[in-house]
Amino acid sequence: MLLYNTLTEKKEALGKSKGRPLRLFVCGPTVYGEAQIGNARTSLNFDIMVRYLRSQKWRITYLQNITDIDDKIIDKARKQKENPLRLAGRFEKSYIKSMKTLGIDTVDTYARASDYIPRIIKQIKTLIKKGYAYKIEKSGYYFDIKKFKDYGKLSKRTAAQAEDGISRIDESIGKRNKGDFALWKFVEVPTNKKPRKKPALVNGEPAWHTSLGWGRPGWHIEDTAITEKHFGPQYDLHGGGMDLKFPHHEAEIAQQESASGKKPFVKIWLHTGFLTVNGKKMSKSAGNFITIDTFIKHHKPEELRWIVASHHYRSPINYTESTVQDAVQSLQAIQEYINRLSFRASSKQKSGKVKKQNRDNPTKETTKKFHESMENDFNTPQALAAIFELINQTQSNIWYLSSAQAKNIIKTLTQSLTTLGFNVKPIPTPQNIKKIAQERELSRTNKQFTQADALRKKIEALGYRVEDTPLGPLCLKQTQKSHHKT
Ligand SMILES: [Zn+2]
């Protein structure tokens, strides 16, 4: 199994973790709004990876965090005059629900940042003790990036360059370096406030009473506290969107390697590509913001999985109406092919008519190509291409396959696709449709063509179409064109 490691910029063999499952941590959402299809992309990518690895007997523990304390959450809650933790709780629920709808069930543990305050404090104290963190009065504790010589090694930026990065880097007068980030942010709590376990709410900001003073954690320390608790100071795989490389993941490395003195913090870093909508970054102001809920209203969850799987996880996806139509058509083509094969397999016609050149078994090659693609840094587009190759190779002779051959192809197709999280299986034609089709066959035999035509129309009105095959009529569900614009 080869994986592209962002840290080394090379494909590396995935090694077994001695006596324990592989440990994978993936950055989850900051819960302050409905999850959108960009979040879904990352989650689907890692769901496919974990499914595949587990299908190949890898043991793997999959941990994802939920950022429920963050400036963005606090800002939104203030505007809405809501408790930020309650607001985060609402969107966390909706995120988990969306994941279920999308068939993402590979995550073992979702860890909420606010449940890890003692761990966070412990890690910050270690950093203070070792000289990596410093205090700014009335502001908080900060990480001194100049003290960590490797800062920038993941994103290939030097510490000096790193200072240019301002995305989610906390501003404070008194920082030693521009790129220093907050570990703990003080919240000014009235002096008469009694210490308690639950967070206090001061001007809409949650504050925990700790040995470092009243305050709340910075974003980056939440993740390393969570992973240290579950995985220890070093683990196998860390994933997330490409945009999190800097400063977020860089900060995670700095914190954990400084705190433990052990390198590397994570063996392999996996980053998923961007998702744009109609060529642009998704944003509410650009009018191209698509939530998972909106997508599900108009499309099947599997169609989003298809869009994701038909691109390599590191490549960008440009979501457009035609990307969606491609997914709809590909899934329909596969479903219809499986239904045809199933019709062939269940037909009583003996294999006497099987053409000679059709006797060899093409599924072995498909399975081999499918696995080779997946083992090569999860090349899902190539794995899907292997599936279509099998369809293209066998479809011209489909009615002359033996029943066993047809069954074998069904098995290969369903097994490969199930590994990627698709739920495909033969769908039998409903009995009432079959009956009409038989009546129509009889009319045709008796040369009652007007009647036969009327029966065909009846079948079509019920949402099916008749395909006349050498084995008799086969009714397939009418393909539906999606007219929705999302
Ligand atoms: Zn994270």
Side-chain angles (χ1 to χ4, degrees), residues 384-405:
L384 293 179
I387 288 170
F388 275 109
E389 221 175 276
L390 176 63
I391 295 177
N392 291 335
Q393 264 173 29
T394 54
Q395 66 185 353
S396 59
N397 288 320
I398 185 167
W399 309 120
Y400 306 100
L401 295 168
S402 71
S403 181
Q405 280 175 324

PDB file of all heavy atoms in Angstrom, residues 384-405:
ATOM      1  N   LEU A 384     -12.162   2.896 -10.800  1.00  0.00           N
ATOM      2  CA  LEU A 384     -13.468   2.952 -11.464  1.00  0.00           C
ATOM      3  C   LEU A 384     -13.324   2.654 -12.957  1.00  0.00           C
ATOM      4  O   LEU A 384     -14.188   2.030 -13.560  1.00  0.00           O
ATOM      5  CB  LEU A 384     -14.134   4.321 -11.259  1.00  0.00           C
ATOM      6  CG  LEU A 384     -14.560   4.671  -9.826  1.00  0.00           C
ATOM      7  CD1 LEU A 384     -15.167   6.065  -9.780  1.00  0.00           C
ATOM      8  CD2 LEU A 384     -15.557   3.654  -9.271  1.00  0.00           C
ATOM      9  N   ALA A 385     -12.202   3.094 -13.535  1.00  0.00           N
ATOM     10  CA  ALA A 385     -11.959   2.818 -14.955  1.00  0.00           C
ATOM     11  C   ALA A 385     -11.866   1.311 -15.196  1.00  0.00           C
ATOM     12  O   ALA A 385     -12.355   0.805 -16.210  1.00  0.00           O
ATOM     13  CB  ALA A 385     -10.689   3.518 -15.421  1.00  0.00           C
ATOM     14  N   ALA A 386     -11.277   0.588 -14.238  1.00  0.00           N
ATOM     15  CA  ALA A 386     -11.166  -0.871 -14.376  1.00  0.00           C
ATOM     16  C   ALA A 386     -12.562  -1.506 -14.409  1.00  0.00           C
ATOM     17  O   ALA A 386     -12.808  -2.470 -15.139  1.00  0.00           O
ATOM     18  CB  ALA A 386     -10.342  -1.445 -13.229  1.00  0.00           C
ATOM     19  N   ILE A 387     -13.466  -0.936 -13.626  1.00  0.00           N
ATOM     20  CA  ILE A 387     -14.842  -1.444 -13.595  1.00  0.00           C
ATOM     21  C   ILE A 387     -15.535  -1.225 -14.942  1.00  0.00           C
ATOM     22  O   ILE A 387     -16.182  -2.117 -15.478  1.00  0.00           O
ATOM     23  CB  ILE A 387     -15.613  -0.762 -12.432  1.00  0.00           C
ATOM     24  CG1 ILE A 387     -15.106  -1.332 -11.107  1.00  0.00           C
ATOM     25  CG2 ILE A 387     -17.117  -0.946 -12.578  1.00  0.00           C
ATOM     26  CD1 ILE A 387     -15.598  -0.603  -9.887  1.00  0.00           C
ATOM     27  N   PHE A 388     -15.347  -0.030 -15.497  1.00  0.00           N
ATOM     28  CA  PHE A 388     -15.970   0.256 -16.802  1.00  0.00           C
ATOM     29  C   PHE A 388     -15.350  -0.561 -17.930  1.00  0.00           C
ATOM     30  O   PHE A 388     -16.006  -0.894 -18.900  1.00  0.00           O
ATOM     31  CB  PHE A 388     -15.926   1.757 -17.104  1.00  0.00           C
ATOM     32  CG  PHE A 388     -17.088   2.486 -16.497  1.00  0.00           C
ATOM     33  CD1 PHE A 388     -16.918   3.338 -15.425  1.00  0.00           C
ATOM     34  CD2 PHE A 388     -18.378   2.272 -16.982  1.00  0.00           C
ATOM     35  CE1 PHE A 388     -18.007   3.986 -14.846  1.00  0.00           C
ATOM     36  CE2 PHE A 388     -19.470   2.907 -16.420  1.00  0.00           C
ATOM     37  CZ  PHE A 388     -19.288   3.770 -15.343  1.00  0.00           C
ATOM     38  N   GLU A 389     -14.064  -0.866 -17.757  1.00  0.00           N
ATOM     39  CA  GLU A 389     -13.399  -1.695 -18.755  1.00  0.00           C
ATOM     40  C   GLU A 389     -14.064  -3.072 -18.821  1.00  0.00           C
ATOM     41  O   GLU A 389     -14.285  -3.613 -19.901  1.00  0.00           O
ATOM     42  CB  GLU A 389     -11.929  -1.850 -18.349  1.00  0.00           C
ATOM     43  CG  GLU A 389     -10.969  -1.752 -19.501  1.00  0.00           C
ATOM     44  CD  GLU A 389      -9.537  -1.807 -18.977  1.00  0.00           C
ATOM     45  OE1 GLU A 389      -9.042  -0.738 -18.570  1.00  0.00           O
ATOM     46  OE2 GLU A 389      -8.953  -2.906 -18.948  1.00  0.00           O
ATOM     47  N   LEU A 390     -14.398  -3.599 -17.655  1.00  0.00           N
ATOM     48  CA  LEU A 390     -15.056  -4.906 -17.606  1.00  0.00           C
ATOM     49  C   LEU A 390     -16.426  -4.827 -18.287  1.00  0.00           C
ATOM     50  O   LEU A 390     -16.807  -5.730 -19.049  1.00  0.00           O
ATOM     51  CB  LEU A 390     -15.207  -5.356 -16.140  1.00  0.00           C
ATOM     52  CG  LEU A 390     -15.958  -6.663 -15.905  1.00  0.00           C
ATOM     53  CD1 LEU A 390     -15.228  -7.844 -16.544  1.00  0.00           C
ATOM     54  CD2 LEU A 390     -16.152  -6.927 -14.415  1.00  0.00           C
ATOM     55  N   ILE A 391     -17.146  -3.752 -18.035  1.00  0.00           N
ATOM     56  CA  ILE A 391     -18.462  -3.579 -18.662  1.00  0.00           C
ATOM     57  C   ILE A 391     -18.309  -3.490 -20.180  1.00  0.00           C
ATOM     58  O   ILE A 391     -18.989  -4.186 -20.933  1.00  0.00           O
ATOM     59  CB  ILE A 391     -19.166  -2.321 -18.089  1.00  0.00           C
ATOM     60  CG1 ILE A 391     -19.457  -2.525 -16.599  1.00  0.00           C
ATOM     61  CG2 ILE A 391     -20.445  -2.005 -18.871  1.00  0.00           C
ATOM     62  CD1 ILE A 391     -20.079  -1.338 -15.891  1.00  0.00           C
ATOM     63  N   ASN A 392     -17.354  -2.670 -20.630  1.00  0.00           N
ATOM     64  CA  ASN A 392     -17.160  -2.500 -22.069  1.00  0.00           C
ATOM     65  C   ASN A 392     -16.736  -3.786 -22.763  1.00  0.00           C
ATOM     66  O   ASN A 392     -17.132  -4.053 -23.887  1.00  0.00           O
ATOM     67  CB  ASN A 392     -16.117  -1.405 -22.343  1.00  0.00           C
ATOM     68  CG  ASN A 392     -16.657  -0.037 -21.954  1.00  0.00           C
ATOM     69  OD1 ASN A 392     -17.881   0.166 -21.925  1.00  0.00           O
ATOM     70  ND2 ASN A 392     -15.776   0.881 -21.624  1.00  0.00           N
ATOM     71  N   GLN A 393     -15.923  -4.576 -22.058  1.00  0.00           N
ATOM     72  CA  GLN A 393     -15.427  -5.824 -22.652  1.00  0.00           C
ATOM     73  C   GLN A 393     -16.514  -6.862 -22.801  1.00  0.00           C
ATOM     74  O   GLN A 393     -16.453  -7.700 -23.673  1.00  0.00           O
ATOM     75  CB  GLN A 393     -14.353  -6.417 -21.746  1.00  0.00           C
ATOM     76  CG  GLN A 393     -12.946  -6.064 -22.157  1.00  0.00           C
ATOM     77  CD  GLN A 393     -11.969  -6.544 -21.114  1.00  0.00           C
ATOM     78  OE1 GLN A 393     -12.228  -7.543 -20.425  1.00  0.00           O
ATOM     79  NE2 GLN A 393     -10.868  -5.846 -20.979  1.00  0.00           N
ATOM     80  N   THR A 394     -17.483  -6.841 -21.900  1.00  0.00           N
ATOM     81  CA  THR A 394     -18.436  -7.950 -21.872  1.00  0.00           C
ATOM     82  C   THR A 394     -19.803  -7.594 -22.451  1.00  0.00           C
ATOM     83  O   THR A 394     -20.599  -8.480 -22.723  1.00  0.00           O
ATOM     84  CB  THR A 394     -18.613  -8.468 -20.432  1.00  0.00           C
ATOM     85  OG1 THR A 394     -18.968  -7.363 -19.583  1.00  0.00           O
ATOM     86  CG2 THR A 394     -17.356  -9.123 -19.918  1.00  0.00           C
ATOM     87  N   GLN A 395     -20.072  -6.293 -22.653  1.00  0.00           N
ATOM     88  CA  GLN A 395     -21.465  -5.959 -22.971  1.00  0.00           C
ATOM     89  C   GLN A 395     -21.930  -6.394 -24.364  1.00  0.00           C
ATOM     90  O   GLN A 395     -23.100  -6.722 -24.534  1.00  0.00           O
ATOM     91  CB  GLN A 395     -21.761  -4.486 -22.727  1.00  0.00           C
ATOM     92  CG  GLN A 395     -21.038  -3.515 -23.620  1.00  0.00           C
ATOM     93  CD  GLN A 395     -21.325  -2.078 -23.194  1.00  0.00           C
ATOM     94  OE1 GLN A 395     -22.153  -1.824 -22.334  1.00  0.00           O
ATOM     95  NE2 GLN A 395     -20.639  -1.139 -23.802  1.00  0.00           N
ATOM     96  N   SER A 396     -21.002  -6.455 -25.322  1.00  0.00           N
ATOM     97  CA  SER A 396     -21.470  -6.821 -26.665  1.00  0.00           C
ATOM     98  C   SER A 396     -21.909  -8.282 -26.718  1.00  0.00           C
ATOM     99  O   SER A 396     -22.702  -8.664 -27.571  1.00  0.00           O
ATOM    100  CB  SER A 396     -20.376  -6.538 -27.692  1.00  0.00           C
ATOM    101  OG  SER A 396     -19.232  -7.285 -27.365  1.00  0.00           O
ATOM    102  N   ASN A 397     -21.379  -9.091 -25.813  1.00  0.00           N
ATOM    103  CA  ASN A 397     -21.739 -10.515 -25.813  1.00  0.00           C
ATOM    104  C   ASN A 397     -22.570 -10.925 -24.612  1.00  0.00           C
ATOM    105  O   ASN A 397     -22.668 -12.101 -24.287  1.00  0.00           O
ATOM    106  CB  ASN A 397     -20.470 -11.375 -25.831  1.00  0.00           C
ATOM    107  CG  ASN A 397     -19.800 -11.314 -27.175  1.00  0.00           C
ATOM    108  OD1 ASN A 397     -20.468 -11.326 -28.207  1.00  0.00           O
ATOM    109  ND2 ASN A 397     -18.489 -11.207 -27.172  1.00  0.00           N
ATOM    110  N   ILE A 398     -23.150  -9.929 -23.977  1.00  0.00           N
ATOM    111  CA  ILE A 398     -23.795 -10.203 -22.687  1.00  0.00           C
ATOM    112  C   ILE A 398     -24.816 -11.343 -22.737  1.00  0.00           C
ATOM    113  O   ILE A 398     -24.860 -12.175 -21.841  1.00  0.00           O
ATOM    114  CB  ILE A 398     -24.415  -8.907 -22.088  1.00  0.00           C
ATOM    115  CG1 ILE A 398     -24.976  -9.202 -20.702  1.00  0.00           C
ATOM    116  CG2 ILE A 398     -25.466  -8.305 -23.003  1.00  0.00           C
ATOM    117  CD1 ILE A 398     -25.314  -7.950 -19.902  1.00  0.00           C
ATOM    118  N   TRP A 399     -25.593 -11.445 -23.828  1.00  0.00           N
ATOM    119  CA  TRP A 399     -26.654 -12.476 -23.855  1.00  0.00           C
ATOM    120  C   TRP A 399     -26.093 -13.854 -24.146  1.00  0.00           C
ATOM    121  O   TRP A 399     -26.802 -14.845 -24.070  1.00  0.00           O
ATOM    122  CB  TRP A 399     -27.744 -12.089 -24.853  1.00  0.00           C
ATOM    123  CG  TRP A 399     -28.228 -10.689 -24.607  1.00  0.00           C
ATOM    124  CD1 TRP A 399     -28.190  -9.649 -25.478  1.00  0.00           C
ATOM    125  CD2 TRP A 399     -28.762 -10.165 -23.377  1.00  0.00           C
ATOM    126  NE1 TRP A 399     -28.657  -8.508 -24.884  1.00  0.00           N
ATOM    127  CE2 TRP A 399     -29.024  -8.789 -23.599  1.00  0.00           C
ATOM    128  CE3 TRP A 399     -29.036 -10.709 -22.118  1.00  0.00           C
ATOM    129  CZ2 TRP A 399     -29.549  -7.962 -22.613  1.00  0.00           C
ATOM    130  CZ3 TRP A 399     -29.559  -9.886 -21.135  1.00  0.00           C
ATOM    131  CH2 TRP A 399     -29.814  -8.533 -21.383  1.00  0.00           C
ATOM    132  N   TYR A 400     -24.822 -13.910 -24.478  1.00  0.00           N
ATOM    133  CA  TYR A 400     -24.209 -15.213 -24.761  1.00  0.00           C
ATOM    134  C   TYR A 400     -23.260 -15.669 -23.665  1.00  0.00           C
ATOM    135  O   TYR A 400     -22.561 -16.658 -23.800  1.00  0.00           O
ATOM    136  CB  TYR A 400     -23.488 -15.139 -26.121  1.00  0.00           C
ATOM    137  CG  TYR A 400     -24.436 -14.666 -27.183  1.00  0.00           C
ATOM    138  CD1 TYR A 400     -24.442 -13.350 -27.613  1.00  0.00           C
ATOM    139  CD2 TYR A 400     -25.401 -15.542 -27.699  1.00  0.00           C
ATOM    140  CE1 TYR A 400     -25.366 -12.900 -28.542  1.00  0.00           C
ATOM    141  CE2 TYR A 400     -26.333 -15.107 -28.622  1.00  0.00           C
ATOM    142  CZ  TYR A 400     -26.315 -13.785 -29.043  1.00  0.00           C
ATOM    143  OH  TYR A 400     -27.240 -13.343 -29.953  1.00  0.00           O
ATOM    144  N   LEU A 401     -23.240 -14.919 -22.579  1.00  0.00           N
ATOM    145  CA  LEU A 401     -22.434 -15.350 -21.432  1.00  0.00           C
ATOM    146  C   LEU A 401     -23.120 -16.538 -20.792  1.00  0.00           C
ATOM    147  O   LEU A 401     -24.341 -16.683 -20.887  1.00  0.00           O
ATOM    148  CB  LEU A 401     -22.342 -14.233 -20.390  1.00  0.00           C
ATOM    149  CG  LEU A 401     -21.629 -12.931 -20.750  1.00  0.00           C
ATOM    150  CD1 LEU A 401     -21.915 -11.882 -19.690  1.00  0.00           C
ATOM    151  CD2 LEU A 401     -20.134 -13.163 -20.882  1.00  0.00           C
ATOM    152  N   SER A 402     -22.340 -17.358 -20.114  1.00  0.00           N
ATOM    153  CA  SER A 402     -22.989 -18.426 -19.354  1.00  0.00           C
ATOM    154  C   SER A 402     -23.545 -17.790 -18.091  1.00  0.00           C
ATOM    155  O   SER A 402     -23.143 -16.701 -17.682  1.00  0.00           O
ATOM    156  CB  SER A 402     -21.985 -19.519 -19.008  1.00  0.00           C
ATOM    157  OG  SER A 402     -21.084 -19.030 -18.030  1.00  0.00           O
ATOM    158  N   SER A 403     -24.455 -18.486 -17.475  1.00  0.00           N
ATOM    159  CA  SER A 403     -25.049 -17.998 -16.241  1.00  0.00           C
ATOM    160  C   SER A 403     -23.959 -17.775 -15.184  1.00  0.00           C
ATOM    161  O   SER A 403     -23.950 -16.769 -14.474  1.00  0.00           O
ATOM    162  CB  SER A 403     -26.075 -19.018 -15.768  1.00  0.00           C
ATOM    163  OG  SER A 403     -26.670 -18.583 -14.604  1.00  0.00           O
ATOM    164  N   ALA A 404     -23.006 -18.689 -15.122  1.00  0.00           N
ATOM    165  CA  ALA A 404     -21.918 -18.587 -14.139  1.00  0.00           C
ATOM    166  C   ALA A 404     -21.045 -17.365 -14.424  1.00  0.00           C
ATOM    167  O   ALA A 404     -20.646 -16.642 -13.504  1.00  0.00           O
ATOM    168  CB  ALA A 404     -21.077 -19.856 -14.165  1.00  0.00           C
ATOM    169  N   GLN A 405     -20.801 -17.127 -15.723  1.00  0.00           N
ATOM    170  CA  GLN A 405     -19.990 -15.949 -16.085  1.00  0.00           C
ATOM    171  C   GLN A 405     -20.709 -14.665 -15.680  1.00  0.00           C
ATOM    172  O   GLN A 405     -20.096 -13.748 -15.124  1.00  0.00           O
ATOM    173  CB  GLN A 405     -19.736 -15.925 -17.595  1.00  0.00           C
ATOM    174  CG  GLN A 405     -18.619 -16.842 -18.045  1.00  0.00           C
ATOM    175  CD  GLN A 405     -18.510 -16.856 -19.565  1.00  0.00           C
ATOM    176  OE1 GLN A 405     -19.512 -16.777 -20.273  1.00  0.00           O
ATOM    177  NE2 GLN A 405     -17.292 -16.976 -20.059  1.00  0.00           N
TER     178      GLN A 405
END
